[in-house]
PDB file of all heavy atoms in Angstrom:
ATOM      1  N   GLU K 429      40.683 173.435-135.001  1.00  0.00           N
ATOM      2  CA  GLU K 429      40.379 172.040-135.352  1.00  0.00           C
ATOM      3  C   GLU K 429      41.448 171.082-134.811  1.00  0.00           C
ATOM      4  O   GLU K 429      41.809 170.127-135.481  1.00  0.00           O
ATOM      5  CB  GLU K 429      40.161 171.903-136.845  1.00  0.00           C
ATOM      6  CG  GLU K 429      39.013 172.724-137.331  1.00  0.00           C
ATOM      7  CD  GLU K 429      38.797 172.638-138.882  1.00  0.00           C
ATOM      8  OE1 GLU K 429      39.476 171.899-139.531  1.00  0.00           O
ATOM      9  OE2 GLU K 429      37.866 173.323-139.299  1.00  0.00           O
ATOM     10  N   ALA K 430      41.892 171.374-133.574  1.00  0.00           N
ATOM     11  CA  ALA K 430      42.943 170.545-132.995  1.00  0.00           C
ATOM     12  C   ALA K 430      42.397 169.962-131.697  1.00  0.00           C
ATOM     13  O   ALA K 430      43.212 169.535-130.800  1.00  0.00           O
ATOM     14  CB  ALA K 430      44.177 171.361-132.734  1.00  0.00           C
ATOM     15  N   GLY K 431      41.128 169.955-131.513  1.00  0.00           N
ATOM     16  CA  GLY K 431      40.524 169.487-130.264  1.00  0.00           C
ATOM     17  C   GLY K 431      40.609 167.911-130.152  1.00  0.00           C
ATOM     18  O   GLY K 431      40.485 167.255-131.187  1.00  0.00           O
ATOM     19  N   SER K 432      40.854 167.498-128.958  1.00  0.00           N
ATOM     20  CA  SER K 432      40.909 166.031-128.731  1.00  0.00           C
ATOM     21  C   SER K 432      39.509 165.531-128.443  1.00  0.00           C
ATOM     22  O   SER K 432      38.594 166.316-128.237  1.00  0.00           O
ATOM     23  CB  SER K 432      41.816 165.730-127.539  1.00  0.00           C
ATOM     24  OG  SER K 432      41.261 166.308-126.393  1.00  0.00           O
ATOM     25  N   LYS K 433      39.381 164.183-128.350  1.00  0.00           N
ATOM     26  CA  LYS K 433      38.111 163.616-127.974  1.00  0.00           C
ATOM     27  C   LYS K 433      37.717 164.075-126.578  1.00  0.00           C
ATOM     28  O   LYS K 433      36.557 164.380-126.333  1.00  0.00           O
ATOM     29  CB  LYS K 433      38.298 162.027-128.009  1.00  0.00           C
ATOM     30  CG  LYS K 433      37.181 161.259-127.427  1.00  0.00           C
ATOM     31  CD  LYS K 433      36.097 160.986-128.392  1.00  0.00           C
ATOM     32  CE  LYS K 433      35.004 160.068-127.904  1.00  0.00           C
ATOM     33  NZ  LYS K 433      34.230 160.561-126.835  1.00  0.00           N
ATOM     34  N   GLN K 434      38.707 164.222-125.703  1.00  0.00           N
ATOM     35  CA  GLN K 434      38.442 164.689-124.361  1.00  0.00           C
ATOM     36  C   GLN K 434      37.871 166.089-124.361  1.00  0.00           C
ATOM     37  O   GLN K 434      36.968 166.463-123.615  1.00  0.00           O
ATOM     38  CB  GLN K 434      39.729 164.614-123.552  1.00  0.00           C
ATOM     39  CG  GLN K 434      39.460 164.503-122.043  1.00  0.00           C
ATOM     40  CD  GLN K 434      40.674 164.943-121.228  1.00  0.00           C
ATOM     41  OE1 GLN K 434      41.640 165.442-121.732  1.00  0.00           O
ATOM     42  NE2 GLN K 434      40.555 164.709-119.941  1.00  0.00           N
ATOM     43  N   ASP K 435      38.449 166.983-125.217  1.00  0.00           N
ATOM     44  CA  ASP K 435      37.933 168.376-125.335  1.00  0.00           C
ATOM     45  C   ASP K 435      36.460 168.312-125.727  1.00  0.00           C
ATOM     46  O   ASP K 435      35.656 169.035-125.174  1.00  0.00           O
ATOM     47  CB  ASP K 435      38.683 169.180-126.354  1.00  0.00           C
ATOM     48  CG  ASP K 435      40.109 169.452-125.954  1.00  0.00           C
ATOM     49  OD1 ASP K 435      40.453 169.282-124.803  1.00  0.00           O
ATOM     50  OD2 ASP K 435      40.939 169.841-126.869  1.00  0.00           O
ATOM     51  N   GLU K 436      36.221 167.497-126.721  1.00  0.00           N
ATOM     52  CA  GLU K 436      34.803 167.439-127.224  1.00  0.00           C
ATOM     53  C   GLU K 436      33.852 166.930-126.153  1.00  0.00           C
ATOM     54  O   GLU K 436      32.765 167.431-125.988  1.00  0.00           O
ATOM     55  CB  GLU K 436      34.722 166.547-128.508  1.00  0.00           C
ATOM     56  CG  GLU K 436      35.186 167.340-129.725  1.00  0.00           C
ATOM     57  CD  GLU K 436      35.373 166.408-130.916  1.00  0.00           C
ATOM     58  OE1 GLU K 436      34.741 165.327-130.956  1.00  0.00           O
ATOM     59  OE2 GLU K 436      36.142 166.793-131.820  1.00  0.00           O
ATOM     60  N   ASP K 437      34.345 165.913-125.405  1.00  0.00           N
ATOM     61  CA  ASP K 437      33.473 165.379-124.337  1.00  0.00           C
ATOM     62  C   ASP K 437      33.193 166.436-123.289  1.00  0.00           C
ATOM     63  O   ASP K 437      32.077 166.569-122.820  1.00  0.00           O
ATOM     64  CB  ASP K 437      34.195 164.190-123.610  1.00  0.00           C
ATOM     65  CG  ASP K 437      34.255 162.963-124.531  1.00  0.00           C
ATOM     66  OD1 ASP K 437      33.522 162.972-125.590  1.00  0.00           O
ATOM     67  OD2 ASP K 437      34.996 162.034-124.214  1.00  0.00           O
ATOM     68  N   ILE K 438      34.261 167.214-122.916  1.00  0.00           N
ATOM     69  CA  ILE K 438      34.024 168.273-121.891  1.00  0.00           C
ATOM     70  C   ILE K 438      33.048 169.290-122.428  1.00  0.00           C
ATOM     71  O   ILE K 438      32.115 169.686-121.744  1.00  0.00           O
ATOM     72  CB  ILE K 438      35.398 168.943-121.579  1.00  0.00           C
ATOM     73  CG1 ILE K 438      36.330 167.999-120.886  1.00  0.00           C
ATOM     74  CG2 ILE K 438      35.206 170.217-120.757  1.00  0.00           C
ATOM     75  CD1 ILE K 438      35.972 167.578-119.487  1.00  0.00           C
ATOM     76  N   LEU K 439      33.218 169.694-123.717  1.00  0.00           N
ATOM     77  CA  LEU K 439      32.400 170.783-124.197  1.00  0.00           C
ATOM     78  C   LEU K 439      30.947 170.297-124.464  1.00  0.00           C
ATOM     79  O   LEU K 439      30.001 171.136-124.589  1.00  0.00           O
ATOM     80  CB  LEU K 439      33.023 171.411-125.451  1.00  0.00           C
ATOM     81  CG  LEU K 439      34.258 172.247-125.131  1.00  0.00           C
ATOM     82  CD1 LEU K 439      34.812 172.909-126.367  1.00  0.00           C
ATOM     83  CD2 LEU K 439      34.048 173.288-124.053  1.00  0.00           C
ATOM     84  N   THR K 440      30.733 168.963-124.559  1.00  0.00           N
ATOM     85  CA  THR K 440      29.374 168.470-124.680  1.00  0.00           C
ATOM     86  C   THR K 440      28.510 168.917-123.501  1.00  0.00           C
ATOM     87  O   THR K 440      27.319 169.195-123.659  1.00  0.00           O
ATOM     88  CB  THR K 440      29.347 166.900-124.735  1.00  0.00           C
ATOM     89  OG1 THR K 440      30.298 166.554-125.776  1.00  0.00           O
ATOM     90  CG2 THR K 440      28.033 166.333-125.026  1.00  0.00           C
ATOM     91  N   TYR K 441      29.124 168.979-122.327  1.00  0.00           N
ATOM     92  CA  TYR K 441      28.394 169.409-121.105  1.00  0.00           C
ATOM     93  C   TYR K 441      27.878 170.826-121.275  1.00  0.00           C
ATOM     94  O   TYR K 441      26.923 171.219-120.673  1.00  0.00           O
ATOM     95  CB  TYR K 441      29.243 169.382-119.857  1.00  0.00           C
ATOM     96  CG  TYR K 441      29.498 167.999-119.347  1.00  0.00           C
ATOM     97  CD1 TYR K 441      30.499 167.189-119.812  1.00  0.00           C
ATOM     98  CD2 TYR K 441      28.680 167.482-118.321  1.00  0.00           C
ATOM     99  CE1 TYR K 441      30.718 165.932-119.322  1.00  0.00           C
ATOM    100  CE2 TYR K 441      28.950 166.254-117.756  1.00  0.00           C
ATOM    101  CZ  TYR K 441      29.933 165.459-118.279  1.00  0.00           C
ATOM    102  OH  TYR K 441      30.127 164.187-117.760  1.00  0.00           O
ATOM    103  N   PHE K 442      28.619 171.639-122.088  1.00  0.00           N
ATOM    104  CA  PHE K 442      28.291 173.060-122.238  1.00  0.00           C
ATOM    105  C   PHE K 442      27.546 173.357-123.589  1.00  0.00           C
ATOM    106  O   PHE K 442      27.426 174.483-123.977  1.00  0.00           O
ATOM    107  CB  PHE K 442      29.535 173.932-122.230  1.00  0.00           C
ATOM    108  CG  PHE K 442      30.349 173.796-120.920  1.00  0.00           C
ATOM    109  CD1 PHE K 442      31.735 174.123-120.944  1.00  0.00           C
ATOM    110  CD2 PHE K 442      29.811 173.444-119.722  1.00  0.00           C
ATOM    111  CE1 PHE K 442      32.507 174.004-119.773  1.00  0.00           C
ATOM    112  CE2 PHE K 442      30.542 173.381-118.546  1.00  0.00           C
ATOM    113  CZ  PHE K 442      31.895 173.659-118.608  1.00  0.00           C
ATOM    114  N   SER K 443      27.112 172.252-124.197  1.00  0.00           N
ATOM    115  CA  SER K 443      26.493 172.473-125.587  1.00  0.00           C
ATOM    116  C   SER K 443      25.321 173.453-125.478  1.00  0.00           C
ATOM    117  O   SER K 443      24.432 173.367-124.628  1.00  0.00           O
ATOM    118  CB  SER K 443      25.973 171.155-126.087  1.00  0.00           C
ATOM    119  OG  SER K 443      25.094 171.416-127.145  1.00  0.00           O
TER     120      SER K 443
END
Side-chain angles (χ1 to χ4, degrees):
E429 297 180 2
S432 64
K433 168 86 175 66
Q434 205 201 5
D435 292 345
E436 279 169 24
D437 289 348
I438 293 292
L439 291 184
T440 306
Y441 284 86
F442 300 156
S443 165

